[in-house]
């Protein structure tokens, strides 16, 4: 295992649970509503109290992930034109998500190679 892999595993181990708890607290503050989210040219009507990664997984889209806490970057996608981590981004009405692109596939490949 390389030193960067070891450092990432340690970082995930130390930060995963506090960051997930903070996200859950944020999700509880979001008013319940149905919102429309576009992921890879398909529009989904979903509950507003979930993350982009949750919506993708419930709809059988395979966005890779590791920590589910916004630490590792494996789940990164273009959300409304900006790069963001899908596991830590709460859905909003009218949101556009692109997770299938050559650029993102190269990014994920580079993140996993050592």
């Amino acid at each position: 295992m390389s030193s960067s892999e070891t450092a990432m595993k340690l970082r995930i181990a130390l930060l995963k649970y506090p960051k997930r708890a903070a996200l859950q607290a944020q999700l509880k503050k979001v008013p319940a509503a149905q919102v429309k989210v576009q992921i890879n040219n398909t529009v989904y009507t979903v509950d507003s109290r979930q993350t982009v990664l949750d919506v993708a997984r419930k709809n059988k889209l395979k966005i890779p992930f590791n920590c589910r806490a916004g630490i590792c970057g494996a789940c990164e996608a273009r959300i409304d034109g900006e790069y963001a981590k899908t596991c830590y981004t709460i859905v909003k009405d009218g949101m556009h998500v692109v997770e299938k692109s050559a650029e993102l596939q190269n990014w994920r490949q580079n993140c996993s190679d050592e």
Side-chain angles (χ1 to χ4, degrees):
M1 183 179 302
S2 71
S3 60
S4 61
E5 287 175 316
T6 304
M8 182 56 75
K9 284 186 182 279
L10 180 62
R11 189 173 166 201
I12 289 170
L14 292 174
L15 297 176
K16 180 178 184 174
Y17 297 106
K19 288 193 71 128
R20 284 294 294 166
L23 176 62
Q24 294 303 322
Q26 285 180 344
L27 286 170
K28 287 180 182 175
K29 293 178 185 176
V30 174
Q34 292 292 306
V35 297
K36 289 187 178 185
V37 179
Q38 180 180 335
I39 304 176
N40 296 333
N41 297 324
T42 304
V43 177
Y44 302 95
T45 302
V46 299
D47 180 51
S48 61
R49 291 182 175 178
Q50 49 190 333
T51 65
V52 174
L53 183 61
D54 293 334
V55 171
R57 291 186 51 79
K58 286 178 184 173
N59 289 287
K60 304 206 183 330
L61 299 172
K62 295 182 179 180
I63 297 177
F65 66 92
N66 187 9
C67 67
R68 293 188 63 94
I71 300 167
C72 71
C75 67
E76 201 160 282
R78 284 186 77 83
I79 300 175
D80 293 331
E82 303 280 326
Y83 287 104
K85 294 172 178 92
T86 60
C87 68
Y88 215 70
T89 303
I90 299 170
V91 294
K92 295 179 192 159
D93 196 34
M95 181 179 272
H96 296 278
V97 180
V98 177
E99 69 85 21
K100 285 187 178 178
S101 71
E103 185 179 1
L104 284 167
Q105 294 298 346
N106 288 336
W107 163 256
R108 290 180 186 128
Q109 183 66 36
N110 289 336
C111 285
S112 65
D113 288 347
E114 283 296 317

Short mmCIF file of all heavy atoms in Angstrom, two decimals, residues 33-78:
data_model
loop_
_atom_site.label_atom_id
_atom_site.label_comp_id
_atom_site.label_asym_id
_atom_site.label_seq_id
_atom_site.Cartn_x
_atom_site.Cartn_y
_atom_site.Cartn_z
N ALA A 33 -40.10 18.01 0.43
CA ALA A 33 -40.76 18.41 -0.81
C ALA A 33 -40.30 17.47 -1.92
O ALA A 33 -39.31 16.77 -1.79
CB ALA A 33 -40.38 19.85 -1.17
N GLN A 34 -41.04 17.47 -3.00
CA GLN A 34 -40.64 16.72 -4.18
C GLN A 34 -39.91 17.67 -5.11
O GLN A 34 -40.40 18.77 -5.39
CB GLN A 34 -41.87 16.13 -4.89
CG GLN A 34 -42.56 15.03 -4.08
CD GLN A 34 -41.69 13.80 -3.96
OE1 GLN A 34 -41.24 13.24 -4.94
NE2 GLN A 34 -41.45 13.37 -2.72
N VAL A 35 -38.73 17.28 -5.55
CA VAL A 35 -37.93 18.11 -6.45
C VAL A 35 -37.56 17.30 -7.69
O VAL A 35 -37.54 16.08 -7.66
CB VAL A 35 -36.64 18.63 -5.76
CG1 VAL A 35 -36.98 19.54 -4.59
CG2 VAL A 35 -35.76 17.49 -5.30
N LYS A 36 -37.28 18.02 -8.78
CA LYS A 36 -36.86 17.37 -10.02
C LYS A 36 -35.36 17.55 -10.18
O LYS A 36 -34.85 18.66 -10.10
CB LYS A 36 -37.60 17.95 -11.22
CG LYS A 36 -39.05 17.56 -11.25
CD LYS A 36 -39.72 18.00 -12.51
CE LYS A 36 -41.17 17.53 -12.48
NZ LYS A 36 -41.86 17.83 -13.72
N VAL A 37 -34.69 16.42 -10.41
CA VAL A 37 -33.24 16.40 -10.57
C VAL A 37 -32.92 15.66 -11.86
O VAL A 37 -33.47 14.59 -12.12
CB VAL A 37 -32.57 15.66 -9.39
CG1 VAL A 37 -31.07 15.60 -9.55
CG2 VAL A 37 -32.94 16.31 -8.07
N GLN A 38 -32.05 16.25 -12.68
CA GLN A 38 -31.64 15.61 -13.92
C GLN A 38 -30.26 15.00 -13.73
O GLN A 38 -29.31 15.71 -13.40
CB GLN A 38 -31.61 16.61 -15.07
CG GLN A 38 -31.18 15.99 -16.39
CD GLN A 38 -31.14 17.00 -17.52
OE1 GLN A 38 -31.83 18.02 -17.47
NE2 GLN A 38 -30.34 16.72 -18.51
N ILE A 39 -30.16 13.69 -13.94
CA ILE A 39 -28.88 13.00 -13.86
C ILE A 39 -28.66 12.31 -15.20
O ILE A 39 -29.44 11.44 -15.59
CB ILE A 39 -28.84 11.97 -12.71
CG1 ILE A 39 -29.16 12.64 -11.37
CG2 ILE A 39 -27.47 11.28 -12.66
CD1 ILE A 39 -29.24 11.68 -10.20
N ASN A 40 -27.59 12.70 -15.90
CA ASN A 40 -27.25 12.10 -17.20
C ASN A 40 -28.45 12.08 -18.15
O ASN A 40 -28.80 11.04 -18.70
CB ASN A 40 -26.71 10.68 -17.02
CG ASN A 40 -25.43 10.65 -16.26
OD1 ASN A 40 -24.67 11.60 -16.26
ND2 ASN A 40 -25.18 9.54 -15.59
N ASN A 41 -29.10 13.21 -18.34
CA ASN A 41 -30.20 13.39 -19.29
C ASN A 41 -31.49 12.66 -18.92
O ASN A 41 -32.37 12.52 -19.75
CB ASN A 41 -29.77 13.00 -20.71
CG ASN A 41 -28.65 13.88 -21.21
OD1 ASN A 41 -28.62 15.07 -20.92
ND2 ASN A 41 -27.73 13.31 -21.95
N THR A 42 -31.61 12.17 -17.70
CA THR A 42 -32.84 11.57 -17.23
C THR A 42 -33.31 12.37 -16.02
O THR A 42 -32.54 12.65 -15.11
CB THR A 42 -32.63 10.10 -16.82
OG1 THR A 42 -32.08 9.39 -17.93
CG2 THR A 42 -33.94 9.46 -16.40
N VAL A 43 -34.60 12.75 -16.03
CA VAL A 43 -35.15 13.55 -14.95
C VAL A 43 -35.84 12.63 -13.94
O VAL A 43 -36.61 11.75 -14.32
CB VAL A 43 -36.15 14.60 -15.49
CG1 VAL A 43 -36.78 15.39 -14.35
CG2 VAL A 43 -35.45 15.54 -16.46
N TYR A 44 -35.54 12.84 -12.66
CA TYR A 44 -36.13 12.08 -11.58
C TYR A 44 -36.86 13.04 -10.65
O TYR A 44 -36.35 14.12 -10.35
CB TYR A 44 -35.06 11.34 -10.78
CG TYR A 44 -34.23 10.39 -11.62
CD1 TYR A 44 -33.01 10.80 -12.15
CD2 TYR A 44 -34.68 9.11 -11.88
CE1 TYR A 44 -32.25 9.93 -12.92
CE2 TYR A 44 -33.92 8.23 -12.65
CZ TYR A 44 -32.71 8.65 -13.17
OH TYR A 44 -31.97 7.80 -13.93
N THR A 45 -38.03 12.64 -10.17
CA THR A 45 -38.74 13.39 -9.13
C THR A 45 -38.49 12.65 -7.82
O THR A 45 -38.84 11.48 -7.69
CB THR A 45 -40.24 13.46 -9.44
OG1 THR A 45 -40.41 14.09 -10.72
CG2 THR A 45 -40.97 14.28 -8.39
N VAL A 46 -37.85 13.36 -6.90
CA VAL A 46 -37.37 12.72 -5.66
C VAL A 46 -37.67 13.58 -4.45
O VAL A 46 -38.00 14.76 -4.56
CB VAL A 46 -35.85 12.46 -5.74
CG1 VAL A 46 -35.52 11.52 -6.89
CG2 VAL A 46 -35.07 13.74 -5.87
N ASP A 47 -37.51 12.98 -3.28
CA ASP A 47 -37.65 13.70 -2.02
C ASP A 47 -36.44 14.61 -1.84
O ASP A 47 -35.31 14.24 -2.18
CB ASP A 47 -37.73 12.69 -0.87
CG ASP A 47 -37.88 13.37 0.47
OD1 ASP A 47 -38.77 14.24 0.61
OD2 ASP A 47 -37.09 13.06 1.38
N SER A 48 -36.65 15.79 -1.30
CA SER A 48 -35.57 16.78 -1.16
C SER A 48 -34.60 16.46 -0.03
O SER A 48 -33.56 17.08 0.08
CB SER A 48 -36.17 18.16 -0.92
OG SER A 48 -36.92 18.16 0.28
N ARG A 49 -34.90 15.48 0.79
CA ARG A 49 -34.05 15.17 1.95
C ARG A 49 -33.08 14.02 1.66
O ARG A 49 -32.98 13.08 2.43
CB ARG A 49 -34.91 14.81 3.14
CG ARG A 49 -35.68 15.97 3.68
CD ARG A 49 -36.48 15.55 4.87
NE ARG A 49 -37.12 16.72 5.46
CZ ARG A 49 -37.91 16.66 6.49
NH1 ARG A 49 -38.19 15.52 7.06
NH2 ARG A 49 -38.45 17.75 6.96
N GLN A 50 -32.37 14.13 0.56
CA GLN A 50 -31.37 13.13 0.23
C GLN A 50 -30.26 13.74 -0.60
O GLN A 50 -30.38 14.85 -1.10
CB GLN A 50 -31.98 11.92 -0.46
CG GLN A 50 -32.89 12.21 -1.61
CD GLN A 50 -33.63 10.96 -2.06
OE1 GLN A 50 -33.16 9.85 -1.90
NE2 GLN A 50 -34.77 11.15 -2.65
N THR A 51 -29.18 13.00 -0.72
CA THR A 51 -28.03 13.48 -1.49
C THR A 51 -28.16 13.00 -2.94
O THR A 51 -28.95 12.10 -3.25
CB THR A 51 -26.70 12.96 -0.91
OG1 THR A 51 -26.67 11.54 -1.05
CG2 THR A 51 -26.53 13.37 0.54
N VAL A 52 -27.35 13.59 -3.80
CA VAL A 52 -27.33 13.19 -5.21
C VAL A 52 -26.94 11.71 -5.31
O VAL A 52 -27.53 10.96 -6.09
CB VAL A 52 -26.36 14.07 -6.01
CG1 VAL A 52 -26.20 13.57 -7.44
CG2 VAL A 52 -26.83 15.52 -6.01
N LEU A 53 -25.97 11.27 -4.52
CA LEU A 53 -25.55 9.87 -4.55
C LEU A 53 -26.69 8.95 -4.14
O LEU A 53 -26.90 7.89 -4.74
CB LEU A 53 -24.33 9.64 -3.65
CG LEU A 53 -23.75 8.23 -3.65
CD1 LEU A 53 -23.28 7.82 -5.04
CD2 LEU A 53 -22.61 8.14 -2.66
N ASP A 54 -27.47 9.33 -3.13
CA ASP A 54 -28.62 8.52 -2.71
C ASP A 54 -29.63 8.37 -3.84
O ASP A 54 -30.13 7.28 -4.10
CB ASP A 54 -29.31 9.15 -1.50
CG ASP A 54 -28.46 9.13 -0.24
OD1 ASP A 54 -27.57 8.26 -0.13
OD2 ASP A 54 -28.67 10.01 0.62
N VAL A 55 -29.91 9.47 -4.53
CA VAL A 55 -30.86 9.44 -5.66
C VAL A 55 -30.32 8.52 -6.76
O VAL A 55 -31.05 7.69 -7.30
CB VAL A 55 -31.10 10.86 -6.22
CG1 VAL A 55 -31.88 10.81 -7.52
CG2 VAL A 55 -31.81 11.71 -5.20
N ALA A 56 -29.05 8.65 -7.07
CA ALA A 56 -28.46 7.83 -8.13
C ALA A 56 -28.54 6.35 -7.78
O ALA A 56 -28.93 5.52 -8.60
CB ALA A 56 -27.01 8.25 -8.36
N ARG A 57 -28.17 6.00 -6.56
CA ARG A 57 -28.18 4.59 -6.16
C ARG A 57 -29.60 4.02 -6.13
O ARG A 57 -29.81 2.88 -6.53
CB ARG A 57 -27.50 4.42 -4.81
CG ARG A 57 -25.99 4.68 -4.93
CD ARG A 57 -25.21 4.40 -3.69
NE ARG A 57 -25.45 3.11 -3.08
CZ ARG A 57 -24.91 1.96 -3.49
NH1 ARG A 57 -24.12 1.95 -4.54
NH2 ARG A 57 -25.16 0.84 -2.85
N LYS A 58 -30.58 4.81 -5.70
CA LYS A 58 -31.97 4.34 -5.68
C LYS A 58 -32.49 4.11 -7.10
O LYS A 58 -33.41 3.33 -7.30
CB LYS A 58 -32.86 5.33 -4.94
CG LYS A 58 -32.66 5.27 -3.45
CD LYS A 58 -33.51 6.30 -2.74
CE LYS A 58 -33.19 6.27 -1.25
NZ LYS A 58 -33.87 7.34 -0.52
N ASN A 59 -31.91 4.81 -8.07
CA ASN A 59 -32.33 4.67 -9.46
C ASN A 59 -31.36 3.81 -10.26
O ASN A 59 -31.32 3.88 -11.48
CB ASN A 59 -32.50 6.05 -10.10
CG ASN A 59 -33.72 6.74 -9.54
OD1 ASN A 59 -34.84 6.39 -9.86
ND2 ASN A 59 -33.51 7.72 -8.66
N LYS A 60 -30.55 3.02 -9.56
CA LYS A 60 -29.64 2.05 -10.15
C LYS A 60 -28.57 2.66 -11.07
O LYS A 60 -28.12 2.02 -12.01
CB LYS A 60 -30.42 0.96 -10.86
CG LYS A 60 -31.42 0.28 -9.95
CD LYS A 60 -31.72 -1.10 -10.37
CE LYS A 60 -32.77 -1.81 -9.56
NZ LYS A 60 -32.98 -1.55 -8.22
N LEU A 61 -28.17 3.89 -10.77
CA LEU A 61 -27.05 4.52 -11.46
C LEU A 61 -25.79 4.21 -10.66
O LEU A 61 -25.80 4.28 -9.43
CB LEU A 61 -27.25 6.03 -11.58
CG LEU A 61 -28.48 6.46 -12.36
CD1 LEU A 61 -28.66 7.97 -12.24
CD2 LEU A 61 -28.37 6.05 -13.81
N LYS A 62 -24.72 3.87 -11.33
CA LYS A 62 -23.52 3.41 -10.64
C LYS A 62 -22.47 4.51 -10.55
O LYS A 62 -21.50 4.53 -11.30
CB LYS A 62 -22.96 2.19 -11.35
CG LYS A 62 -23.89 1.00 -11.27
CD LYS A 62 -23.31 -0.22 -11.92
CE LYS A 62 -24.27 -1.37 -11.78
NZ LYS A 62 -23.77 -2.58 -12.41
N ILE A 63 -22.67 5.42 -9.62
CA ILE A 63 -21.64 6.42 -9.32
C ILE A 63 -20.71 5.78 -8.29
O ILE A 63 -21.17 5.34 -7.24
CB ILE A 63 -22.25 7.71 -8.75
CG1 ILE A 63 -23.16 8.38 -9.78
CG2 ILE A 63 -21.14 8.68 -8.32
CD1 ILE A 63 -23.87 9.62 -9.28
N PRO A 64 -19.42 5.70 -8.59
CA PRO A 64 -18.51 5.08 -7.61
C PRO A 64 -18.40 5.93 -6.35
O PRO A 64 -18.53 7.15 -6.40
CB PRO A 64 -17.17 5.03 -8.36
CG PRO A 64 -17.28 6.04 -9.42
CD PRO A 64 -18.72 6.19 -9.76
N PHE A 65 -18.18 5.27 -5.23
CA PHE A 65 -18.00 5.99 -3.97
C PHE A 65 -17.15 5.15 -3.04
O PHE A 65 -16.98 3.95 -3.25
CB PHE A 65 -19.35 6.33 -3.31
CG PHE A 65 -20.12 5.14 -2.86
CD1 PHE A 65 -19.99 4.65 -1.57
CD2 PHE A 65 -20.98 4.47 -3.71
CE1 PHE A 65 -20.70 3.55 -1.14
CE2 PHE A 65 -21.69 3.37 -3.30
CZ PHE A 65 -21.55 2.90 -2.01
N ASN A 66 -16.63 5.78 -2.02
CA ASN A 66 -15.81 5.08 -1.05
C ASN A 66 -16.23 5.45 0.37
O ASN A 66 -16.68 4.63 1.13
CB ASN A 66 -14.33 5.38 -1.27
CG ASN A 66 -13.42 4.55 -0.42
OD1 ASN A 66 -13.85 3.61 0.24
ND2 ASN A 66 -12.15 4.87 -0.40
N CYS A 67 -16.12 6.73 0.70
CA CYS A 67 -16.31 7.15 2.10
C CYS A 67 -17.73 7.59 2.43
O CYS A 67 -18.12 7.55 3.59
CB CYS A 67 -15.36 8.29 2.42
SG CYS A 67 -15.75 9.82 1.53
N ARG A 68 -18.51 8.05 1.46
CA ARG A 68 -19.86 8.61 1.67
C ARG A 68 -19.86 9.78 2.65
O ARG A 68 -20.84 10.03 3.33
CB ARG A 68 -20.85 7.54 2.11
CG ARG A 68 -21.13 6.51 1.05
CD ARG A 68 -22.24 5.59 1.43
NE ARG A 68 -23.50 6.27 1.59
CZ ARG A 68 -24.43 6.42 0.65
NH1 ARG A 68 -24.23 5.92 -0.54
NH2 ARG A 68 -25.53 7.05 0.90
N ALA A 69 -18.74 10.49 2.71
CA ALA A 69 -18.64 11.63 3.63
C ALA A 69 -17.97 12.83 2.99
O ALA A 69 -17.62 13.78 3.67
CB ALA A 69 -17.87 11.22 4.88
N GLY A 70 -17.77 12.82 1.67
CA GLY A 70 -17.16 13.97 1.00
C GLY A 70 -15.67 14.10 1.21
O GLY A 70 -15.12 15.18 1.05
N ILE A 71 -15.00 13.00 1.52
CA ILE A 71 -13.58 13.06 1.82
C ILE A 71 -12.73 12.59 0.64
O ILE A 71 -11.78 13.25 0.25
CB ILE A 71 -13.26 12.19 3.06
CG1 ILE A 71 -14.03 12.70 4.28
CG2 ILE A 71 -11.76 12.18 3.36
CD1 ILE A 71 -14.03 11.74 5.45
N CYS A 72 -13.08 11.44 0.05
CA CYS A 72 -12.17 10.79 -0.90
C CYS A 72 -12.25 11.35 -2.32
O CYS A 72 -11.28 11.29 -3.05
CB CYS A 72 -12.42 9.29 -0.91
SG CYS A 72 -13.98 8.79 -1.67
N GLY A 73 -13.40 11.83 -2.76
CA GLY A 73 -13.52 12.39 -4.10
C GLY A 73 -13.89 11.38 -5.17
O GLY A 73 -14.02 11.74 -6.34
N ALA A 74 -14.09 10.12 -4.82
CA ALA A 74 -14.42 9.10 -5.81
C ALA A 74 -15.78 9.35 -6.47
O ALA A 74 -15.99 8.98 -7.62
CB ALA A 74 -14.41 7.71 -5.17
N CYS A 75 -16.69 9.98 -5.78
CA CYS A 75 -18.05 10.19 -6.29
C CYS A 75 -18.23 11.55 -6.97
O CYS A 75 -19.35 11.95 -7.25
CB CYS A 75 -19.05 10.07 -5.14
SG CYS A 75 -18.90 11.39 -3.92
N GLU A 76 -17.16 12.22 -7.26
CA GLU A 76 -17.25 13.56 -7.83
C GLU A 76 -17.96 13.57 -9.19
O GLU A 76 -17.79 12.65 -9.99
CB GLU A 76 -15.86 14.16 -7.97
CG GLU A 76 -15.88 15.66 -8.05
CD GLU A 76 -14.53 16.26 -7.70
OE1 GLU A 76 -14.23 16.33 -6.50
OE2 GLU A 76 -13.83 16.63 -8.64
N ALA A 77 -18.76 14.59 -9.43
CA ALA A 77 -19.49 14.76 -10.69
C ALA A 77 -19.65 16.26 -10.95
O ALA A 77 -19.36 17.08 -10.09
CB ALA A 77 -20.86 14.10 -10.61
N ARG A 78 -20.11 16.59 -12.16
CA ARG A 78 -20.41 17.99 -12.47
C ARG A 78 -21.86 18.25 -12.07
O ARG A 78 -22.77 17.65 -12.63
CB ARG A 78 -20.19 18.30 -13.94
CG ARG A 78 -18.73 18.44 -14.30
CD ARG A 78 -18.53 18.88 -15.74
NE ARG A 78 -18.78 20.28 -15.95
CZ ARG A 78 -17.91 21.26 -15.74
NH1 ARG A 78 -16.74 20.97 -15.25
NH2 ARG A 78 -18.20 22.50 -16.00
#
